[in-house]
Amino acid sequence: MKSKVEEKFTEFFEKWISQLEDYLQQLRKLSTEHRASKNTPTEQELQALVSKVTQHYKEYYTVKWALAVEDVLPFFYPIWSTPLENAYSWVTGWKPSAVFKLLDSVRTTSPVLGPSLVELTQEQQRKIQQLRAKVRVEKEKVEMEMERQQVAVAERKMVELARLVFRVKTGDKASQVEGLVQVALNGVLSGLVKVMKMADCVRLRTMKGTLDILNPLQCVDFLAMITMFQLQLQQAGKKMDCIRHVNI
C-alpha cells in the first residue's frame, strides 16, 4: 500500500516525465534545425527553451523537497523508479559525475546527439575540469554527511532507547520511552532530509555550472543528451522488469 507521499509524488513524477519527453523532442528539433541551417533558431529561441527545461528540473526538486518534509524515506526507496534506475542512484538521484562522463563520451565518439559538444574550446574544457574538481569535493562532503547520519542510527543512546521499548511494555514509563524514541527518530529523519537536499544541490550546481560554460546551442545539445540518457535508462529498466516478471 502506498503512503500519501508516495501517491502524491508518483502522480507528479508521471506527469513530469511526460513533459520531459516533450521537451526532449523540442530540444532535438532545435538542434537539428540549427545543423541543417534551415529555419535556423535564433539565440533567443535557444535560450528560451534551455530556460524552460532547466525550470522543469527545478520544479522536480521543489516538489521533492516539499514532500520530503512530510516523509523522506520514500525518496531513498522510490517506487516510481525501476530497480535499474535505483541501482545507479546516488543519495536519491543521479550521480553528478555522470554529467562529466557523458561529456567525455560525446567528445571521444561520433555522437548522434550533442555534435556541438565535440567542439568545446580549450577554455571551455579547462572550466569543465575545474567544475569537475569542485563537484568531486562537494560530492565527498555529501557522502561524509550520509555516513554520519548512518552512524547516528547506531549510536549508544539510540540502541539503549530501543532496548527500553521492549523492557517497558505498559504504563506511563512506556509512553515516555516511546516519546523519547520518536524524538530520536525525528532527528534521524531530519538528518536524511538534510543530506538529500545537500546531494540535490550538488546535482543542480553541476547542471547550472555546465550550462554556464556552454554556448546556447551547446546548452540545447547538453540538455538533450542528459534528458535522453535519463529516459533511456528508465525505459531499459521497465523492459528488464517486464522480462523478469514473465520469467517468474
Side-chain angles (χ1 to χ4, degrees):
M1 182 176 177
K2 294 181 183 178
S3 67
K4 288 184 179 180
V5 167
E6 286 174 328
E7 287 181 354
K8 288 179 182 178
F9 197 80
T10 298
E11 182 181 356
F12 162 78
F13 184 74
E14 289 173 354
K15 294 178 181 177
W16 186 86
I17 280 290
S18 178
Q19 181 61 61
L20 189 65
E21 291 172 346
D22 290 342
Y23 279 135
L24 174 58
Q25 298 308 314
Q26 294 178 45
L27 289 165
R28 296 182 68 177
K29 181 174 182 291
L30 277 190
S31 180
T32 300
E33 288 177 349
H34 194 282
R35 292 200 304 274
S37 298
K38 182 179 181 181
N39 298 322
T40 304
T42 64
E43 186 170 307
Q44 289 74 21
E45 289 176 313
L46 295 171
Q47 290 175 336
L49 183 54
V50 168
S51 179
K52 286 181 181 179
V53 177
T54 53
Q55 188 58 43
H56 188 60
Y57 274 101
K58 288 178 182 177
E59 181 188 8
Y60 173 90
Y61 293 107
T62 299
V63 174
K64 179 183 179 182
W65 292 354
L67 289 176
V69 174
E70 296 181 34
D71 185 5
V72 68
L73 293 181
F75 295 96
F76 284 86
Y77 243 97
I79 62 172
W80 48 84
S81 299
T82 65
L84 178 63
E85 291 173 279
N86 292 337
Y88 284 93
S89 178
W90 175 76
V91 193
T92 77
W94 50 271
K95 295 180 180 179
S97 57
V99 166
F100 304 111
K101 289 180 180 179
L102 284 171
L103 284 172
D104 289 342
S105 176
V106 166
R107 293 181 58 243
T108 55
T109 60
S110 299
V112 175
L113 274 177
S116 66
L117 298 174
V118 178
E119 303 167 358
L120 292 177
T121 65
Q122 289 187 344
E123 178 65 11
Q124 285 178 316
Q125 293 178 44
R126 184 184 66 80
K127 288 182 178 180
I128 286 175
Q129 290 306 315
Q130 288 179 337
L131 178 63
R132 188 199 296 254
K134 183 178 179 181
V135 167
R136 187 183 299 115
V137 172
E138 292 182 350
K139 181 173 174 286
E140 289 173 355
K141 288 180 181 178
V142 173
E143 290 171 348
M144 288 175 62
E145 180 62 25
M146 187 66 203
E147 183 179 358
R148 193 178 75 82
Q149 295 299 332
Q150 291 170 335
V151 170
V153 178
E155 283 183 347
R156 184 174 179 180
K157 289 181 180 179
M158 286 289 291
V159 174
E160 289 300 323
L161 283 172
R163 287 176 179 171
L164 280 172
V165 170
F166 288 101
R167 290 177 185 171
V168 185
K169 297 182 178 179
T170 60
D172 293 337
K173 286 187 177 181
S175 57
Q176 288 176 7
V177 171
E178 288 178 1
L180 290 172
V181 171
Q182 189 59 53
V183 169
L185 288 175
N186 287 342
V188 169
L189 295 176
S190 296
L192 290 177
V193 172
K194 176 185 176 181
V195 75
M196 183 196 77
K197 287 186 176 181
M198 284 178 64
D200 286 343
C201 285
V202 177
R203 283 183 267 271
L204 287 168
R205 284 195 288 269
T206 300
M207 181 176 287
K208 183 180 185 302
T210 304
L211 291 171
D212 287 344
I213 294 170
L214 305 177
N215 64 41
L217 177 60
Q218 289 172 334
C219 286
V220 167
D221 282 341
F222 170 72
L223 289 174
M225 178 183 67
I226 62 173
T227 297
M228 174 166 276
F229 175 77
Q230 181 177 356
L231 294 174
Q232 286 183 335
L233 185 63
Q234 183 192 54
Q235 291 168 6
K238 288 181 177 179
K239 287 181 180 178
M240 289 178 66
D241 284 353
C242 288
I243 294 172
R244 195 158 52 103
H245 291 147
V246 168
N247 293 333
I248 291 176

